[in-house]
Every structure is written in structure tokens, then in C-alpha cells.
Amino acid sequence: MEQDLFKILPSELTANILSRLPLRSISISKCVSKPWLNLLQSDDFVKSKIKTPPAVARLIPMTENSTQCTIFGFKDQDEADVESHALHFRPLTDLDIPHGNLASIYRARQTNGLLLLYSSVECYIYICNPITRQYIELCCPVEYISIYVLSFGFGVSKISGQYKVVCINVFGSDPYSVYTLGTGTWRRVEPGPASGCKFDFHAYVECNGNLHWIAYDSAKIFWICAFDLETECFSTLAAPTVDELAVDVKLNVWRDCLCLSYTLDHKVVIWLMKEYQVEESWTMKYQISTIDFAWNTMNVCPIKIFENGDVLMYPEEMCFIYYSNKTRTNRLIGMLTDATSEDDISSFMIYTPSLFSLKNFGVENVISF
């Protein structure tokens, strides 16, 4: 009779071995036994140096009362590999979000493997970890009024490590509120320099412990509004000079630096703030020609910049665009293989999987699915 070596190994060695598995295999390993389940859900294991390559999260409204969120894994590929093969995606997990519908497709924010999912029309707010298959529902920050158009930010403070959700009214008036996970309550915050600014609903990103939105002041000059998750104060950063004919201005992050992108004159232009909060460090990094594609009327979003400088973009059609920094050429990349039809209304974002348990927040009502 064969001996079960894992029963006699110290738990630290077992954790070290399991941490080297792909995240999908770790999730499957939870079903092996109760001791493995307890080990894989322990704080020590979750905090261990598990390699979690980036993935793609996709949201699709499926029925009148459900929106599907699917996480697809993919790995970096060199330019030669991409030239000969499409990017390969593998579904890691999926879930159905209640209350979603075609009129109120959910938006997503992510930090450290946790997704903030919220409706752009109705006040439904969820924090979810698709890998551990846990979620919590948050109450609406204010008495819901239909004239409000609320946008939410989500991040973790660099010093205290607290996870916080920030709510703003994109029209530039109250409410401005913050929710610290584990407290169960929303608190009002002062807009400060952001007072009176109208926020771009879609132009949002987390970088350097701050949340950022593109916002326009009364003179219609656009700024980058930052919310410090530690001090809970707003500030403004000057953006690079952008032609008034530019469309679809978006924020992104590349190697911990703020990026700003837009479409202009058959080009996707990408700026990089090389030193955070140093406005003079804005540098034009890319001007990607779109002459081969009808992009001048599309919303083009760079969702990943690879280590070799290549760029993966999503032009809100049923395809991805892969830009080779070496050859300065673009290539159409096939959409995810399980897409149901060309009429799907999808949204995509880069997602970093994690085994972090929502039960760490204590007072929150964690639901498993």
C-alpha cells in the first residue's frame, strides 16, 4: 500500500509545493481533502509568493436579469509567436451576476484580484473574487436618486492596507463617499480641488496607491483627478496637451506609471507619465497607425503593454488588435473562442487572479457561489 507523503510532510513544505502550481490547479486542489482546503485558504498560503500571470475579465449581459463575468488566462508571448498563432485564452472561472440586464451592464474595477462590479444604471454594488468564488454586496452609498450617475473606484491603501471603495457623482456635485471594507458603512468625503469637475465615467485607473479619473473643469479643460486612498483627499494633475479633436481619451497603467491614450488622425496616441505626479515627465510613448483598420470612429482601449513593448488593444469589436513594437505593424487577433455572437455587448479589462478570501474583512456578509 502506497504511503501518502503529503500526510507526513510539514505544512510549510506542502504549501511551498502547491504554490508552484498554476492558479487553476490550485483551485482544483481544494477538492482533494479537507486539510488541503484549509491549507489553501489559510492566510499564510494566500500571502505566499504565488505566481499569478495576468488574465482578462470579460462582462457580457446574458439575460434580462443576469450578467456573466468570465476570467480568461493568457500568457506573454514574443512577437514571433504572435505572428504565427492567435493569443491563446483559457477560461479560469465564470459567474453570473444577479440583477444585471441589457440596460444596465455592469462595470468592473479590480485590485489585488478582487473585482468591484456595479451597475451603471441601478445601484447594485458587489465585491467579488471569481477565483475563490466569493462575493459580498454593498449597500448604496446614498438614497438612490435616478438623476445621479455614480462612478466607483476601488483600491488598497499603500500604508494601512485597507481596501476602499470611492463613490462620485460624475456631474461634479455631491455625493462623494468612501467605504472601507470591514466597516459596513459609507462616509462622506470632501471633493477639495475636484469640486465642480465633471468626471469622465469610463476614464478611470488605480496607480501608486491613488485612484484617478479624467475630469473637466468649468472651462472644459481636462485634468486628472486623483484620490489618495490613505489620506482620503482629492488632488489634480495636469494632463499632457491633447488636441481638441482627439476622441476616447482613456487612462491606463504601464509598469506602475500612468498612461493616457486617445485616437486622433488615424492614430492611437499613448502618453506615459514617467515620474508619478511630475507633470513635466509626460512623454509620448506610441503613435500607432490605424490606417489599416477603420479605427478613427472606434473607441480603442489599450488593455495590456507587454514587456517587449508590444501593445494589446481592444477596439470594442469582436477582435483584439496586437501592435508589434519591433515591426511597427498591427495584427488582428481572434476573439475569445466561446463568444456567442457578433452582437454581444462585451467589456474587457486586465485582471490579476488572487486567492485572497473576502472573509478577511470580518463583518461583511460573504456569500459563496
Side-chain angles (χ1 to χ4, degrees), residues 112 333 348:
N112 288 2
I333 300 296
F348 289 84

Side-chain angles (χ1 to χ4, degrees), residues 62-66 99-102:
M62 301 298 291
T63 67
E64 292 184 356
N65 57 8
S66 176
H99 307 303
N101 56 56
L102 294 177

Side-chain angles (χ1 to χ4, degrees), residues 290-310:
T290 63
I291 199 67
D292 296 331
F293 307 97
W295 289 1
N296 56 313
T297 58
M298 291 183 185
N299 295 328
V300 180
C301 179
I303 63 172
K304 180 173 174 60
I305 300 179
F306 291 86
E307 290 297 324
N308 61 2
D310 292 358

Side-chain angles (χ1 to χ4, degrees), residues 195-211:
S195 179
C197 289
K198 294 185 177 181
F199 289 75
D200 187 317
F201 187 89
H202 302 286
Y204 156 90
V205 75
E206 178 190 8
C207 180
N208 204 50
N210 293 342
L211 308 180

